Amino acid sequence: MTRVTRIVGMAGSGKSTECNQRLLELLNDDEVEPSDILITAFNRANIHDIIARWEDPDLVEAVHGLEWVVDKGQFDDEGITVRTFNSICYNLVREDKEFHFDRLVVMDRESDEEIFQQFFDECAPRFEYRYVPPSQADDAADRGSLPVANQILRAYNYLRALGYGDTPEEYRVYSRMETQVAAPESRVIEVMQQWDVWKESNGIVQHDDCVRGAIELEKTPSGKVLVIDEFQDLSPLQYRLYKLWRDSQQFDHIIIAGDEAQAIYGFRGTRGRYLRETYCDESIELTKSWRCAPKIVEKAQEVIAGYGYFDETLSSHGDDSDAIEEKVEVAGKTAEDLRPVVEEVLTDLGHDSSVMILGRTNLDVQRVAKALNELGYPNQPIVPADGERKRGLWYWEAPAPEVLHTLRRWREGEQLYPPYVEVLLSIADVDHAWVDHAVAGKLTKYSKADEGYHDYPVLLDRIMYSPDVMDEVFDFPESTESVLNCLRLDDARREVLRRALDSEHDIRPDQIRVGTIHSAKGQESSRVLLLAGYAYRQAERYRYEPGVEEEERRLYHVAVTRAADQLYIVTGWNGSEPCPIFL
C-alpha cells in the first residue's frame, strides 16, 4: 500500500530539510537503497538545487557514509535518480513502439525554430511565425507584438497542459484563455488540428505529448520512493499522470512538497490547489521561516492575506526586529534617479553577502541592469541571459568578471589569481609569449610546472601571481585604462568595465543579481530590492481580469520571501504605475 506524505510550508520553512530527513530515515533503516528513490521537480533550476543538496558531504555522510548518492538523472542502477518531470515522461515513452517519434521539439528553443516555421509555411502561410525567446514572449504578448502564429502555439500548449485538445469543442476553450489570439476562432481551431496531424505525420512530439502518452500507455517509473518537489506547479495534465503513478501501487512511499502561495505559473496551466486537494496519509505544515526576518514574514502574509493558503499564522524563527521594509518612491527614468536607493541597499554590504534586484518583467530587468552598469555597479542575471535579451545583462559574462577582479587587485599591488590572469591575457592585443600561452589555455599549467623560470610568470607561494605580471606584459602601464585599451573588448563592455573600475564600491558581479520574480523562485538573498511597478497593460489586467489579482499576490509573495534580512519596495521608477498590492 502506497503511503503518501504531504509537506506544505512557506518559503524558507525547511520543506527540503523535512523531505530529506524522511529519505534519510528510509535509507538508514535499510528500507530502500539510493537506486530505489526517484526525485522530480518541474524545471532544471529545481533539479540542480536538489542535486547540490544531496552532494553535500554532511548529507552523504548521513547515508551510511556513501561517497556517491546521486546519479544525476542517468537512470543507472546506482544512486538516487533526480530528473525533471518532462524528462521522466520522455524516457518512459521513447522506447515504446506504440508511441513512435523521431524528434522532441520545444516552442521556445531556438534550435527547433525551423520545425515550426516549416509547419506554418506548409499549412498556415498567412500567419507569421518567428522564434521569440521565452524571456521575451510574455513581454511581447503584453505589448501586443507577439506574432499571431506564436499566439496560436501558446494557446495550443496551454490547452495541452490543461488536458484539452482532442475535439473542436476542446480547442474552443482557447477563447477563455488569459491571452487572446488575434485571429478568427474557426481558423485558430483549424490550425491547432492541423498541427496535431502534421506532428504525427512528421514524427514530432512536444513535452505534453509525452505526458499524454505516459497516461495513455499507463507508464510508471520504477522505484520504491517517489518525491515530487514544488508540487503546486503541477498542470492538470501532469496531475492526472501523478494520480496514475500514485494509484498504481508501484511505490511504497510518495512524498509531495510545496507551497500553494508560491504557485506562480498559472500562465502555463498550473493549478496550485492540487497540493491541498490531493489525497495523503500524513500532512505536515511548516509555517515558520528560517530564512526571513519577522517584518519580512509579516509583509509576506499581508500580501496573501484572505486566500487561506495556510491554516496557521506565518512567523519567523528569527528575532531580528531591524529588518527593513520600505516603500521607496523613485521619480524619473534615469540611472541617477535610481542611485540613492541602490546605494542605500549596498551600504555596508559584506563580502559574503549579496543583493537581489527583482523586476516584474524582463523589460524591467533590462532597464535596471543598464542603469546599474551606468552607475558602475557590476551585476549578473539570476539566470543566464539568452541571445536576444542581452542588452544590459550580457556585459558581466566572462571575461568581464575576471578582468575586473584582476585589474582591481593589480591597481592595489595585491597578488593575482592565476586563472583570472590567464583569462585577461587571453584577450590581450599584445605581442608577448605569455599571451600566446594564455590563448592556448596553458599559462597557469606552465607557471606551475616551471616556477621561477624567467619565460613564465612567477607564482608566489605556489598559489598567486605577483602583480609584476601585468607590468611585464603591458610594458608598465600607467593605469587600468591603459590595460583596458589593450584588450579585445567591444566598446560597450569596455565602458561598463571602466565605470566599475572608477566606482567607489568594491562590488563583485555576483553580489548584485538581477532578474524577474519568476526567475528568482527558489533563490534567496540577504537583501532584496523589489521594483513593484506596473506597465499600463499589466495594471489593466490586474483591475479587470478575473483571477489575475490572486496570481499577482502569489507572485509578489514569492518576491518578498526571497529576502532574508532587508527588503526595499520601490515604486514609480521609469514611469511605472505603483503595483496596487503595495498601495
Side-chain angles (χ1 to χ4, degrees):
M1 184 71 179
T2 302
R3 178 174 178 80
V4 180
T5 301
R6 176 176 58 204
I7 302 171
V8 179
M10 76 164 294
S13 60
K15 295 186 294 295
S16 298
T17 301
E18 182 72 26
C19 181
N20 290 346
Q21 188 59 42
R22 296 299 176 107
L23 294 178
L24 285 173
E25 290 173 2
L26 292 173
L27 288 166
N28 288 328
D29 290 344
D30 294 324
E31 290 190 40
V32 298
E33 295 295 324
S35 57
D36 295 324
I37 298 173
L38 171 61
I39 304 178
T40 182
F42 298 92
N43 61 56
R44 292 178 182 176
N46 294 140
I47 293 301
H48 290 319
D49 289 343
I50 292 167
I51 290 174
R53 287 197 299 269
W54 276 97
E55 289 184 328
D56 180 87
D58 292 336
L59 199 58
V60 171
E61 184 63 29
V63 189
H64 301 310
L66 293 178
E67 294 181 356
W68 188 64
V69 179
V70 181
D71 75 356
K72 299 188 181 181
Q74 300 304 312
F75 281 135
D76 294 335
D77 294 330
E78 299 181 73
I80 297 172
T81 297
V82 185
R83 293 198 85 139
T84 63
F85 199 91
N86 284 335
S87 175
I88 291 172
C89 293
Y90 172 81
N91 280 277
L92 287 175
V93 301
R94 69 175 179 174
E95 302 298 337
D96 196 292
K97 294 181 180 179
E98 296 183 42
F99 196 81
H100 175 73
F101 62 93
D102 297 320
R103 181 171 176 181
L104 172 76
V105 299
V106 179
M107 176 186 166
D108 54 15
R109 189 165 59 201
E110 191 170 10
S111 60
D112 293 333
E113 177 182 7
E114 81 281 0
I115 292 291
F116 297 101
Q117 188 64 63
Q118 181 182 350
F119 164 72
F120 280 100
D121 287 345
E122 292 179 11
C123 302
R126 63 175 288 190
F127 294 126
E128 176 201 0
Y129 171 80
R130 93 173 168 271
Y131 168 71
V132 179
S135 57
Q136 290 188 3
D138 294 332
D139 293 344
D142 284 341
R143 296 193 303 271
S145 61
L146 193 68
V148 175
N150 297 66
Q151 295 176 30
I152 294 173
L153 289 173
R154 279 163 62 90
Y156 175 92
N157 290 342
Y158 181 82
L159 292 177
R160 283 303 200 183
L162 295 180
Y164 296 127
D166 290 321
T167 66
E169 289 71 29
E170 289 188 336
Y171 281 123
R172 195 164 284 117
V173 178
Y174 95 88
S175 63
R176 298 195 292 273
M177 288 179 53
E178 294 178 5
T179 304
Q180 301 298 311
V181 179
E185 180 182 271
S186 60
R187 187 68 181 107
V188 172
I189 292 173
E190 180 184 354
V191 172
M192 288 180 172
Q193 292 179 307
Q194 288 176 319
W195 175 233
D196 272 335
V197 173
W198 194 88
K199 282 197 299 182
E200 185 173 357
S201 63
N202 287 276
I204 299 294
V205 297
Q206 296 173 279
H207 280 307
D208 283 334
D209 295 323
C210 294
V211 179
R212 289 165 67 96
I215 293 171
E216 292 167 3
L217 299 170
E218 298 186 346
K219 294 286 188 179
T220 304
S222 61
K224 294 182 180 180
V225 181
L226 172 66
V227 179
I228 302 182
D229 198 10
E230 306 292 348
F231 193 86
Q232 77 279 349
D233 292 337
L234 282 170
S235 70
L237 184 66
Q238 292 166 335
Y239 183 60
R240 281 170 53 191
L241 183 58
Y242 161 73
K243 288 194 295 183
L244 171 69
W245 292 353
R246 180 194 66 196
D247 298 340
S248 70
Q249 302 300 312
Q250 164 73 41
F251 300 99
D252 297 332
H253 301 273
I254 293 179
I255 302 172
I256 60 176
D259 175 8
E260 190 179 353
Q262 295 189 66
I264 61 174
Y265 297 115
F267 60 91
R268 297 180 187 168
T270 61
R271 296 291 184 267
R273 59 185 174 83
Y274 293 142
L275 179 64
R276 285 285 181 182
E277 294 177 359
T278 195
Y279 165 82
C280 68
D281 297 285
E282 178 186 13
S283 183
I284 301 167
E285 183 166 296
L286 307 171
T287 55
K288 276 190 141 183
S289 177
W290 292 94
R291 174 194 303 160
C292 304
K295 283 187 179 180
I296 294 173
V297 173
E298 289 175 16
K299 174 56 65 176
Q301 178 151 289
E302 177 187 317
V303 170
I304 57 167
Y307 288 101
Y309 295 128
F310 295 97
D311 296 331
E312 301 179 18
T313 301
L314 303 181
S315 59
S316 170
H317 284 282
D319 56 5
D320 179 10
S321 60
D322 296 326
I324 298 173
E325 180 276 303
E326 295 180 358
K327 298 178 185 66
V328 184
E329 180 70 26
V330 177
K333 299 183 178 182
T334 70
E336 286 300 324
D337 296 322
L338 196 62
R339 182 191 292 273
V341 66
V342 173
E343 290 192 343
E344 176 67 22
V345 173
L346 296 177
T347 299
D348 298 325
L349 183 69
H351 187 74
D352 296 327
S353 300
S354 66
V355 170
M356 191 180 287
I357 301 181
L358 303 179
R360 175 64 181 83
T361 68
N362 282 292
L363 185 58
D364 295 333
V365 173
Q366 291 170 6
R367 286 168 173 164
V368 75
K370 184 175 182 293
L372 291 169
N373 289 335
E374 290 179 11
L375 295 173
Y377 298 118
N379 57 91
Q380 287 182 340
I382 293 173
V383 295
D386 61 53
E388 296 186 31
R389 186 171 59 88
K390 289 185 172 180
R391 287 179 300 169
L393 293 177
W394 68 279
Y395 302 111
W396 293 104
E397 296 174 354
E402 294 85 350
V403 172
L404 179 65
H405 182 274
T406 301
L407 292 184
R408 278 176 171 171
R409 294 185 65 88
W410 169 73
R411 183 172 57 188
E412 300 300 321
E414 299 177 0
Q415 297 178 22
L416 309 177
Y417 187 47
Y420 287 10
V421 172
E422 185 168 81
V423 170
L424 184 149
L425 294 187
S426 69
I427 60 168
D429 192 11
V430 209
D431 184 15
H432 196 286
W434 297 351
V435 171
D436 295 336
H437 291 310
V439 170
K442 298 178 178 179
L443 179 71
T444 305
K445 174 184 174 183
Y446 287 151
S447 300
K448 290 179 178 178
D450 299 281
E451 182 181 0
Y453 185 58
H454 70 277
D455 279 350
Y456 304 105
V458 178
L459 282 173
L460 303 178
D461 301 325
R462 304 188 66 83
I463 298 174
M464 305 288 275
Y465 282 145
S466 162
D468 294 343
V469 168
M470 302 294 291
D471 297 325
E472 169 72 24
V473 173
F474 294 97
D475 194 20
F476 297 95
E478 297 179 358
S479 64
T480 56
E481 177 73 16
S482 304
V483 178
L484 278 178
N485 289 334
C486 293
L487 301 181
R488 290 189 299 274
L489 295 167
D490 61 84
D491 291 340
R493 182 175 279 187
R494 197 188 317 276
E495 180 59 27
V496 165
L497 276 162
R498 182 180 292 117
R499 290 177 184 271
L501 286 164
D502 290 343
S503 172
E504 297 178 359
H505 295 277
D506 187 17
I507 300 292
R508 302 189 313 273
D510 62 301
Q511 286 185 280
I512 305 179
R513 294 181 295 154
V514 186
T516 62
I517 301 170
H518 284 97
S519 72
K521 188 169 178 285
Q523 308 276 327
E524 66 177 278
S525 186
S526 175
R527 305 176 187 183
V528 168
L529 189 156
L530 173 60
L531 298 172
Y534 270 10
Y536 174 77
R537 283 177 177 267
Q538 291 173 317
E540 289 293 289
R541 290 183 66 244
Y542 184 93
R543 293 187 187 103
Y544 301 118
E545 292 188 23
V548 170
E549 178 177 344
E550 184 175 0
E551 173 100 355
E552 290 294 298
R553 285 188 173 274
R554 291 196 298 267
L555 183 66
Y556 279 99
H557 172 80
V558 168
V560 168
T561 53
R562 300 311 95 196
D565 302 313
Q566 296 181 3
L567 171 67
Y568 294 78
I569 301 173
V570 176
T571 61
W573 183 65
N574 209 53
S576 61
E577 296 187 37
C579 172
I581 293 169
F582 299 106
L583 289 177

